[in-house]
Amino acid sequence: MRINRNIIHWAMSLMLASVPLSPALAGDSAEQLAAELNGQWNAAFNRGDAAAVAALYAEDATLSPGNGETLEGRDSIRELFQSFIDNGVHDHSIEIIEAHQSGDVLYEVARWQAHSTDADGEPTSFGGVLLNTFRRGADGVWRSHVHVWNAGS
């Protein structure tokens, strides 16, 4: 699958155009910051802690799991990830394609992968592409604000 980066850049440029610019965290690149946030997410999910995963999202976060639906708020997000955990999804990983920061907004485009077992008990893996937008809150904590992914074969 080939990602049209021009479309992604155009869409994110529209969103970031209204964000006031401020310097990035000293010594932290956007990719390093995204990798740290992804590490927190993967660790929480892979230990089966859906509440900890949901806490990484803003209270008013929007999430779309690639099925045409959207979820809003931490409770809905926690329920979704709990269902994945309860159904045996594990070993989630994220590989950053690119990440950019403008002030208190960070976005990443990445590949994700996870593992489970099929109906016959055979190991299976699946993954896709995600777009995640983070905002740094007044408390200085980065949280996911808009998270969208797809699943490919």
Side-chain angles (χ1 to χ4, degrees):
M1 173 190 301
R2 186 162 175 86
I3 298 171
N4 186 328
R5 291 183 180 197
N6 290 334
I7 291 173
I8 292 168
H9 284 265
W10 176 80
M12 294 312 297
S13 295
L14 286 176
M15 182 194 75
L16 293 174
S18 63
V19 176
L21 296 177
S22 64
L25 296 172
D28 283 336
S29 74
E31 192 164 317
Q32 290 171 325
L33 180 55
E36 179 182 322
L37 295 168
N38 292 339
Q40 293 171 8
W41 197 100
N42 286 326
F45 185 87
N46 290 333
R47 72 174 176 267
D49 191 344
V53 172
L56 299 172
Y57 290 81
E59 283 287 343
D60 61 345
T62 301
L63 181 142
S64 178
N67 63 359
E69 301 293 321
T70 58
L71 304 174
E72 293 184 24
R74 284 187 185 152
D75 289 340
S76 296
I77 291 169
R78 181 192 48 74
E79 289 173 10
L80 174 71
F81 289 119
Q82 187 65 58
S83 73
F84 292 158
I85 292 165
D86 290 348
N87 284 294
V89 178
H90 61 280
D91 294 333
H92 190 280
S93 63
I94 300 170
E95 175 190 346
I96 298 169
I97 297 170
E98 63 181 278
H100 300 278
Q101 180 183 356
S102 179
D104 291 334
V105 175
L106 168 76
Y107 80 89
E108 71 173 325
V109 177
R111 289 180 188 88
W112 67 273
Q113 185 172 23
H115 303 277
S116 189
T117 54
D118 65 18
D120 297 324
E122 294 296 317
T124 185
S125 63
F126 46 95
V129 175
L130 67 82
L131 173 63
N132 204 345
T133 303
F134 302 90
R135 286 192 310 194
R136 181 172 33 203
D139 60 0
V141 176
W142 289 92
R143 290 185 181 87
S144 180
H145 186 70
V146 177
H147 184 187
V148 178
W149 73 82
N150 68 10
S153 52

